[in-house]
Amino acid sequence: MTIHTLHLAAFSAEPLYGPEEARTIADLAETLIAEGQASFTLEREGTVVAHACYTPLRLVEAPQLKAYVMAPLAVLPAWQKQGLATELMHQAEEALDADAIFVLGNPLHYARRFSTPHQVSPPQPTDHAACWFARALKPGVLDDLKSASQIDGALNNPELW
C-alpha cells in the first residue's frame, strides 16, 4: 500500500471530509515526502497502517526553538481506535528531538495531546485559529512566547489553512 492510498482511505472514511479533500490530503502527503519533510510510518502485519509528516516551523520571536507542524496524519480505518496515532506521534517526537509540535486539526482528535497553552500564530491566516494546537515537548518553551510563525514548502499554501 502506498502512502497516497493510506491517506486516501483514511480521509475518505472520515465524515468531515469528502473525496476531493481526501485526494488533496493524500497528494499533500506525497508532496511533503518528495520535499524531504520528516515522514514516519507504523507497520502491522507487514503493511504500513499509519503515516505522518512533520514540516519545520520557524517561530519568528524564538528562532532557536526547534518546532514542527504535524500534517497530515492518517491511520487506515481498520486500524483506528487502537492507539496507533499516539504511538506514531510518540515515535516521531522522539526522533525529531523537537521543542514543540503544532497542528491545525479537529479538536476531537488533537485537543487532549496538543494542550499546551500558546500564543504562536499559524503561518497562514485561517478561519480555524481555535483549532491551532501546540504540544511543548520541553517544559516551558512556549511560556510567555508571543510569536508569528513561518513555514516553507507545500504547507505554505493558504488554501490548506
Side-chain angles (χ1 to χ4, degrees):
M1 169 167 302
T2 67
I3 297 298
H4 190 274
T5 304
L6 184 155
H7 283 273
L8 193 58
F11 283 95
S12 293
E14 273 286 325
L16 295 175
Y17 303 97
E20 188 174 320
E21 272 188 297
R23 275 191 300 279
T24 298
I25 293 166
D27 290 346
L28 174 63
E30 281 191 323
T31 300
L32 292 170
I33 292 167
E35 286 179 353
Q37 305 302 348
S39 173
F40 298 89
T41 59
L42 279 181
E43 286 189 27
R44 295 292 187 269
E45 300 172 10
T47 300
V48 174
V49 298
H51 174 261
C53 285
Y54 288 76
T55 301
L57 181 72
R58 286 181 308 285
L59 305 182
V60 174
E61 299 301 323
Q64 76 282 4
L65 293 181
K66 193 174 179 185
Y68 291 86
V69 171
M70 181 192 69
L73 178 142
V75 177
L76 285 176
W79 292 89
Q80 291 176 4
K81 301 192 186 315
Q82 298 179 38
L84 297 181
T86 299
E87 182 181 337
L88 180 61
M89 287 184 280
H90 181 73
Q91 171 191 329
E93 290 165 359
E94 282 191 4
L96 292 169
D97 190 33
D99 295 305
I101 306 288
F102 291 83
V103 64
L104 181 69
N106 185 329
L108 295 174
H109 297 300
Y110 299 109
R112 236 178 328 142
R113 182 172 184 84
F114 291 82
S115 60
T116 303
H118 70 94
Q119 295 183 64
V120 175
S121 61
Q124 289 288 342
T126 181
D127 293 335
H128 309 288
C131 298
W132 177 238
F133 300 108
R135 177 173 169 84
L137 301 176
K138 297 186 179 155
V141 295
L142 298 177
D143 292 355
D144 301 320
L145 172 64
K146 186 172 183 173
S147 182
S149 65
Q150 300 171 334
I151 200 164
D152 293 326
L155 276 183
N156 198 30
N157 180 346
E159 293 178 16
L160 297 173
W161 296 87

